Amino acid sequence: MNAVAKLTLPRGRLRLDEPMARHTSWRVGGPAQRFLEPVDLDDLSAFLAELPAGEPVFWVGLGSNLLVRDGGIAGTVIVTSGTLNRLARLDETHIRVEAGVACAKVARFAARLGLTGAEFLAGIPGTMGGALAMNAGAFGGETWEVVESVETLDRAGRHLERPAADYQVDYRQVNGPAGEWFVAATLCLEPGNSRESTERIRSLLKRRSDTQPMGQASCGSVFRNPPGDFAARLIESSGLKGVCVGGACVSEKHANFIVNVGSASALDIESLIAQVTETVERCHGIRLVPEVRIIGRPAADA
Ligand SMILES: Cc1cc2nc3c(=O)[nH]c(=O)nc-3n(C[C@H](O)[C@H](O)[C@H](O)COP(=O)(O)OP(=O)(O)OC[C@H]3O[C@@H](n4cnc5c(N)ncnc54)[C@H](O)[C@@H]3O)c2cc1C
């Protein structure tokens, strides 16, 4: 802790006790002890190189798949959105995307260039870094299908480049070298047609707004779909639509969404996740596994 206090200040903004509720799409979560918004890759790399080895670090994009508990996060949160935000065409079919670029921006950029294969990213409200960590996907597309290589930083701030083959990728799951985080990816797309890609994006966004509770604070699908079935179907047929704990409710529009109706705590959401898990297991004999990442300390431990 004292060693952290003596660090050379980064060029970016380092805030103390930053409420994570401001940085998660559920709008809940206690404070991060330290919260760094680096100005660029060099700034982040220099900061990590100096950070004592024992200091926990948590990387956050747009917080759209995160439940941060009410007691907050002991350690340093590194936020990439709004900072690592370069996006460039490398050649005919390749683009380089930094980790903080919003997925929607990647989809639009590729479409404008007349490249196809990234349209599915349009409705995913996270960053490229989060999409790489989660193998985010929608409507048949998945992030790692278009990844050729990634750039990472390790805990000592070293910048590395790795081929996609260094990672084991599955449904919403990515395993790779431990102690490294994504700072950029090179995507390989197919030559396509700008107008058709733009039209496809429009129709995917419409399908989303027809089926999902847009405009309400959520983290998207809470549970992974079990093999051969859908979490939403299992939750709905267990009679859980509309069930609430405090300010957290199972959405009436999409049963695999839990929405914060305004006053939820992280504890409300986590309790509702537990209630849904138990009820579905009792009704169907299937134990759902959360897709959302749950981090931080319960309020009483803070
Ligand atoms: C309305 C709504 C709809 C959604 N629809 C979809 C959907 O269709 N498909 C889908 O897959 N997801 C969906 N999601 C979930 C979410 O948007 C994705 O999981 C997204 O990829 C998370 O990106 P993020 O930047 O917000 O990551 P965060 O939520 O900030 O972080 C998620 C995880 O990624 C890690 N991470 C973040 N950045 C990095 C990095 N640079 N390097 C290493 N690890 C990192 C974090 O540590 C954390 O473990 C939806 C969410 C919402 C709110």
Side-chain angles (χ1 to χ4, degrees):
M1 173 76 177
N2 285 339
V4 176
K6 285 186 203 142
L7 286 175
T8 314
L9 282 179
R11 284 180 287 126
R13 193 142 64 129
L14 183 63
R15 286 185 257 179
L16 301 181
D17 294 325
E18 173 67 10
M20 287 302 293
R22 292 185 188 154
H23 306 280
T24 61
S25 58
W26 251 329
R27 304 277 168 256
V28 301
Q33 253 182 329
R34 282 166 288 281
F35 184 90
L36 174 70
E37 293 165 279
V39 283
D40 56 25
L41 210 50
D42 289 343
D43 189 32
L44 177 53
S45 176
F47 179 83
L48 284 171
E50 255 200 72
L51 197 66
E55 167 77 354
V57 295
F58 299 89
W59 286 53
V60 171
L62 277 162
S64 64
N65 201 47
L66 273 187
L67 177 58
V68 178
R69 294 195 177 99
D70 300 309
I73 298 176
T76 299
V77 167
I78 291 166
V79 71
T80 60
S81 73
T83 66
L84 305 182
N85 54 10
R86 292 202 207 145
L87 182 54
R89 183 176 206 166
L90 300 177
D91 61 30
E92 207 53 23
T93 51
H94 292 86
I95 61 174
R96 179 179 179 274
V97 186
E98 286 193 345
V101 178
C103 291
K105 199 168 170 188
V106 181
R108 287 196 307 268
F109 180 75
R112 252 198 329 272
L113 295 176
L115 294 172
T116 186
E119 295 89 343
F120 74 92
L121 287 170
I124 297 176
T127 60
M128 193 67 221
L132 290 166
M134 297 301 307
N135 190 24
F139 304 117
E142 278 192 348
T143 301
W144 281 81
E145 286 169 357
V146 292
V147 174
E148 185 162 292
S149 62
V150 293
E151 294 164 49
T152 64
L153 280 189
D154 69 12
R155 186 58 180 72
R158 282 180 295 248
H159 187 184
L160 307 158
E161 189 168 346
R162 294 189 175 278
D166 282 4
Y167 294 82
Q168 280 178 315
V169 176
D170 215 328
Y171 166 61
R172 304 291 175 270
Q173 210 171 322
V174 178
N175 289 309
E180 291 179 24
W181 294 270
F182 301 110
V183 291
T186 295
L187 309 186
C188 180
L189 302 168
E190 301 276 325
N193 174 292
S194 190
R195 198 179 39 77
E196 283 170 18
S197 290
T198 305
E199 190 42 51
R200 180 157 164 71
I201 288 174
R202 200 170 296 130
S203 102
L204 293 182
L205 292 178
K206 173 154 189 337
R207 271 167 76 184
R208 248 174 216 281
S209 63
D210 288 347
T211 55
Q212 298 180 0
M214 311 300 285
Q216 280 186 294
S218 80
C219 78
S221 293
V222 175
F223 297 97
R224 300 153 60 116
N225 287 324
D229 211 332
F230 292 96
R233 189 196 73 77
L234 295 167
I235 296 166
E236 182 168 356
S237 60
S238 301
L240 287 160
K241 262 192 170 178
V243 167
C244 300
V245 173
C249 300
V250 175
S251 165
E252 294 279 1
K253 196 164 181 185
H254 190 310
N256 198 15
F257 278 51
I258 288 178
V259 292
N260 176 357
V261 294
S263 55
S265 63
L267 182 59
D268 291 342
I269 295 173
E270 200 170 359
S271 305
L272 185 54
I273 290 174
Q275 188 177 329
V276 169
T277 308
E278 281 156 27
T279 309
V280 168
E281 190 167 26
R282 205 171 48 245
C283 294
H284 297 283
I286 295 174
R287 192 160 182 86
L288 292 176
V289 175
E291 175 176 323
V292 60
R293 303 272 174 98
I294 302 174
I295 62 169
R297 308 176 287 190
D301 294 356

